[in-house]
């Protein structure tokens, strides 16, 4: 095996990136643009068809971290690693569906989840959700630009910072004009490219290694835990924390809810089912590259797990395939980065300006200006933050907990008429405070304190299980699942969960937010009329929406 990674020349890498971003920009210019169409800029007038919707959902969910983390999971945990990463992520796409239908039912004209919460509770709760989404999307943008910088610096003589700048400006170039519509339109092309290249790259690496027989013969190099498809260590360290984190992403991530509000209502169910299957197949396949490396005893260069996939590709494949791989990763990170820019612009346009400054009397043209300025500022900020090369996993876990704190309050607010603005606000703030104490070891996890936190985490586990069952099977079974899951995890986890800090802190955020939200809501006699939400959430550009009635952004 080569001791160093293959590198393209500077000219070759620049040509690859110019070809990719230039082609993407030309695709985006084919979109018709109404200068005053704010609704089209944010949610494509809610006319996205099945094909575009499913492709965009899948491409957005598959980002640069999916490549590296899936392979790392396979390399670290063996046979079950890729399954944990791909299966739970796919399941979370499906999980959004039942709650997404409720969101659309309550606010058919919404552009962001924050607008729905504003109509339900008012400004403070909405701004908490909006700020969490702003922070999360900025971090997500930073992560994708960081991955671009790492890829360029590994496979070319160009610097890490050069890769960040090129990717940032490239994504901005085609998203700035048409906003969300450009993101969805280019997502379709990017996903087709990703699927085609993945179908070529993964088998090519496998057969270059000697084929399935060599991989099977070397399974003896795995430890007992790595060879066990039901590995307890893999589940507690990888599967469970990831399951909890992506559940939070499913509800709190504006890039996902934006697509939920944009898809034609008649296509919501098939869109989510298609995206679930597509995501699982691609990501599990990418994770298998890590498992291949493990069976052959490959050591990541410089001990950096992010080098694993480039190392495997460059060590076993010719330059043409490495070029395809380069485009594959650039496409995946760009499809999510442009979604982050679209999400950030929608939050500033609708949540900040539309609801809190213009008070539902917004000027569509001014909204578009705000949206585009947001994209420019976010890109600059993302480039600056990415240049620090911060720990990606730490940032992802923090964002997961940030959104985990809002999951129960958001869902409860859409189904339970007793949830108040006070309950929502204090639930989120309390959960974030306790999460930080646990996740960053600000207090020693010993004695009575540790037991108390583990019991809170057990409640959090019950919430996760209960919400899953409630979404698909209804209230009674959901409540039963909550109690069963909470009791089982408490029985097994007290005395043990403290050893798994990431899982413990994430579950604690769920548990605390649920307890605080429930207690404060029960103490209030307020009742909310859900019909008011539809009256309070409006389209910002009614004429443009009427002109497009009956049309779709893409062939269904």
């Amino acid at each position: 095996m080569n001791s160093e990674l293959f590198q393209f020349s500077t000219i070759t890498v620049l040509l690859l990136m110019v070809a990719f971003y230039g082609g993407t920009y030309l695709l985006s210019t084919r979109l018709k643009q109404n200068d005053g169409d704010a609704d089209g800029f944010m949610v494509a007038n809610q006319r996205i068809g099945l094909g575009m919707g499913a492709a965009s959902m899948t491409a957005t969910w598959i980002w640069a971290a999916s490549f590296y983390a899936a392979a790392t999971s396979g390399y670290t945990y063996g046979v079950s690693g890729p399954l944990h990463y791909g299966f739970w992520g796919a399941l979370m796409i499906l999980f959004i569906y039942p709650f997404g239908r409720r969101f659309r039912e309550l606010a058919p004209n919404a552009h962001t989840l924050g607008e729905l919460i504003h109509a339900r509770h008012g400004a403070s709760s909405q701004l908490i959700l909006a700020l969490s989404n702003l922070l999360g999307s900025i971090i997500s943008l930073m992560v994708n630009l960081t991955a671009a910088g790492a890829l360029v610096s590994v496979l070319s003589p160009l610097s890490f910072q050069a890769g960040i700048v090129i990717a940032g400006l490239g994504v901005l170039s085609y998203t700035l004009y048409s906003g969300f519509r450009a993101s969805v339109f280019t997502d379709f092309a990017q996903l087709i490219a990703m699927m085609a290249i993945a179908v070529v790259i993964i088998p090519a690496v496998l057969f270059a290694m000697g084929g399935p027989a060599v991989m099977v013969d070397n399974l003896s190099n795995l430890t007992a835990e790595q060879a066990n498809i039901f590995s307890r260590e893999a589940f507690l360290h990888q599967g469970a924390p990831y399951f909890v984190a992506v559940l939070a992403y499913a509800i709190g991530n504006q890039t996902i809810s934006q697509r939920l509000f944009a898809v034609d209502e008649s296509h919501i169910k098939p869109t989510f089912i298609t995206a679930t299957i597509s995501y699982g197949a691609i990501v599990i396949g990418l994770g298998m590259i890590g498992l291949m490396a493990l069976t052959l005893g490959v050591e990541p260069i410089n001990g950096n797990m992010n080098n694993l996939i480039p190392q495997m590709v460059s060590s076993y494949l010719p330059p043409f395939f490495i070029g395809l791989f380069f485009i594959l990763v650039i496409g995946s990170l760009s499809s999510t980065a442009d979604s982050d820019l679209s999400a950030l612009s929608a939050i500033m346009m609708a949540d900040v300006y539309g609801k809190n400054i213009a008070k539902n009397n917004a000027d569509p043209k001014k909204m578009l200006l705000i949206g585009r300025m947001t994209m420019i500022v976010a890109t600059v900020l993302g480039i600056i933050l990415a240049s620090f090369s911060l720990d990606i996993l730490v940032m992802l876990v923090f964002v997961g907990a940030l959104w985990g704190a809002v999951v129960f309050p958001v869902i409860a607010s859409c189904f339970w008429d007793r949830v108040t603005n006070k309950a929502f606000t204090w639930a989120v703030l309390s959960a974030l405070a306790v999460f930080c104490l646990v996740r960053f070891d600000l207090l020693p996890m010993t004695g009575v304190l540790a037991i108390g936190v583990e019991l809170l985490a057990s409640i959090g586990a019950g919430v996760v299980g209960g919400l899953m069952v409630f979404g698909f099977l209804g209230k009674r079974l959901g409540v039963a699942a909550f109690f069963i899951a909470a009791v089982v995890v408490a029985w097994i986890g007290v005395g043990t969960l403290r050893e798994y800090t990431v899982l413990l802190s994430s579950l604690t955020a769920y548990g605390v937010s649920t307890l605080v939200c429930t207690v404060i809501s029960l103490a209030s006699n307020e009742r909310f009329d859900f019909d008011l939400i539809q009256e309070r959430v409006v389209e910002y550009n009614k004429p443009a929406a009427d002109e497009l009635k009956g049309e779709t952004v893409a062939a269904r």
Side-chain angles (χ1 to χ4, degrees):
M1 176 172 292
N2 299 333
S3 59
E4 296 182 359
L5 295 178
F6 171 87
Q7 283 199 334
F8 292 110
S9 68
T10 299
I11 295 297
T12 301
V13 166
L14 289 176
L15 287 174
L16 285 172
M17 298 190 79
V18 168
F20 175 81
Y21 286 118
T24 307
Y25 173 78
L26 290 176
L27 280 176
S28 69
T29 59
R30 296 183 59 190
L31 294 170
K32 293 182 179 179
Q33 175 71 20
N34 184 325
D35 289 338
D37 189 2
D39 292 301
F41 193 85
M42 288 188 282
V43 289
N45 302 106
Q46 299 177 324
R47 297 297 177 185
I48 298 294
L50 171 60
M52 283 289 187
S56 184
M57 189 78 73
T58 306
T60 298
W61 207 247
I62 298 175
W63 56 330
S66 298
F67 284 69
Y68 298 111
T72 298
S73 185
Y75 186 84
T76 305
Y77 300 110
V79 176
S80 65
L83 298 178
H84 278 305
Y85 199 94
F87 179 75
W88 297 126
L91 186 62
M92 285 308 100
I93 299 178
L94 190 62
F95 169 82
I96 309 170
Y97 167 69
F99 299 108
R101 291 301 300 264
R102 177 62 174 172
F103 298 156
R104 283 291 292 266
E105 176 188 342
L106 292 175
N109 295 320
H111 310 84
T112 70
L113 193 55
E115 285 183 302
L116 191 159
I117 295 301
H118 184 278
R120 176 69 173 85
H121 291 305
S124 64
S125 293
Q126 180 228 10
L127 288 175
I128 285 176
L129 184 61
L131 288 173
S132 72
N133 274 307
L134 284 171
L135 180 58
S137 292
I138 285 290
I139 292 175
S140 175
L141 180 62
M142 178 205 75
V143 167
N144 282 286
L145 295 181
T146 299
L151 182 71
V152 169
S153 66
V154 165
L155 293 182
S156 80
L158 288 171
S159 68
F160 176 80
Q161 285 75 17
I164 292 171
V165 172
I166 294 171
L169 295 179
V171 171
L172 179 64
S173 69
Y174 67 83
T175 313
L176 189 63
Y177 181 63
S178 297
F180 178 75
R181 285 181 295 196
S183 175
V184 172
F185 190 63
T186 54
D187 278 347
F188 183 81
Q190 289 163 352
L191 179 66
I192 297 301
M194 281 192 284
M195 293 179 68
I197 297 172
V199 167
V200 172
I201 290 290
I202 296 169
V205 173
L206 176 61
F207 284 100
M209 290 168 47
V214 172
M215 184 175 170
V216 172
D217 290 341
N218 285 281
L219 287 177
S220 57
N221 294 333
L222 276 57
T223 66
E225 282 291 328
Q226 290 172 335
N228 181 8
I229 196 171
F230 300 108
S231 168
R232 179 175 180 271
E233 288 298 306
F235 178 73
L236 290 175
H237 283 288
Q238 169 69 46
Y242 185 63
F243 175 82
V244 172
V246 293
L247 170 59
Y249 273 72
I251 297 300
N253 192 337
Q254 167 62 15
T255 62
I256 300 300
S257 58
Q258 192 170 16
R259 280 152 180 76
L260 166 68
F261 289 121
V263 171
D264 188 291
E265 192 167 4
S266 62
H267 294 306
I268 292 178
K269 184 176 182 178
T271 294
F272 279 97
I273 292 175
T274 304
T276 298
I277 297 171
S278 301
Y279 174 90
I282 294 174
V283 173
I284 289 174
L286 291 167
M288 294 302 292
I289 293 181
L291 179 60
M292 296 175 200
L294 176 64
T295 59
L296 288 187
V298 174
E299 292 291 335
I301 291 178
N302 299 325
N304 187 347
M305 296 297 290
N306 286 343
N307 287 335
L308 193 58
I309 287 188
Q311 181 178 345
M312 292 291 289
V313 171
S314 65
S315 297
Y316 287 100
L317 299 181
F320 174 76
F321 285 97
I322 301 173
L324 289 179
F325 165 76
F326 184 88
I327 295 297
L328 174 66
V329 179
I330 291 295
S332 70
L333 65 88
S334 298
S335 67
T336 306
D338 62 39
S339 299
D340 290 324
L341 291 181
S342 298
L344 287 163
S345 65
I347 292 169
M348 292 300 296
M349 292 167 70
D351 292 351
V352 178
Y353 171 70
K355 291 298 181 184
N356 291 286
I357 297 177
K359 306 295 184 183
N360 273 348
N361 190 29
D363 178 354
K365 290 187 177 181
K366 185 177 290 185
M367 291 187 80
L368 286 169
L369 176 61
I370 291 172
R372 291 185 172 119
M373 291 302 298
T374 298
M375 288 184 174
I376 294 171
V377 173
T379 300
V380 173
L381 188 57
I383 289 172
I384 293 172
L385 292 174
S387 67
F388 291 118
S389 191
L390 300 175
D391 190 314
I392 289 177
L393 290 179
V394 170
M395 301 306 294
L396 292 180
V397 169
F398 180 78
V399 174
L402 182 72
W403 285 331
V406 306
V407 170
F408 181 84
V410 166
I411 293 178
S413 295
C414 295
F415 288 91
W416 189 20
D417 61 2
R418 293 189 65 167
V419 179
T420 64
N421 181 49
K422 180 180 178 181
F424 187 104
T425 302
W426 282 107
V428 176
L429 295 178
S430 301
L432 285 176
V434 175
F435 164 79
C436 290
L437 290 175
V438 177
R439 178 64 184 88
F440 301 109
D441 296 319
L442 300 180
L443 292 174
M445 283 297 110
T446 57
V448 176
L449 176 63
I451 294 174
V453 172
E454 286 170 336
L455 290 175
L456 287 173
S458 300
I459 294 174
V463 172
V464 174
L467 289 177
M468 287 288 293
V469 175
F470 167 68
F472 291 102
L473 301 177
K475 179 180 176 181
R476 291 186 178 181
L477 289 177
V479 172
F482 163 77
F483 283 108
I484 292 172
V487 170
V488 170
V489 173
W491 178 264
I492 298 173
V494 171
T496 303
L497 277 175
R498 67 193 69 177
E499 299 174 11
Y500 304 93
T501 304
V502 174
L503 178 60
L504 178 68
S505 58
S506 298
L507 288 177
T508 301
Y510 280 91
V512 171
S513 66
T514 300
L515 282 176
V516 174
C517 184
T518 302
V519 170
I520 296 179
S521 297
L522 289 174
S524 171
N525 293 320
E526 292 182 26
R527 294 292 188 274
F528 181 78
D529 181 3
F530 285 109
D531 290 337
L532 293 174
I533 293 179
Q534 186 167 343
E535 298 175 12
R536 295 172 177 174
V537 179
V538 299
E539 293 175 289
Y540 291 104
N541 194 52
K542 186 66 175 173
D546 288 341
E547 288 173 11
L548 291 173
K549 187 175 181 180
E551 298 181 6
T552 60
V553 174
R556 298 166 187 256

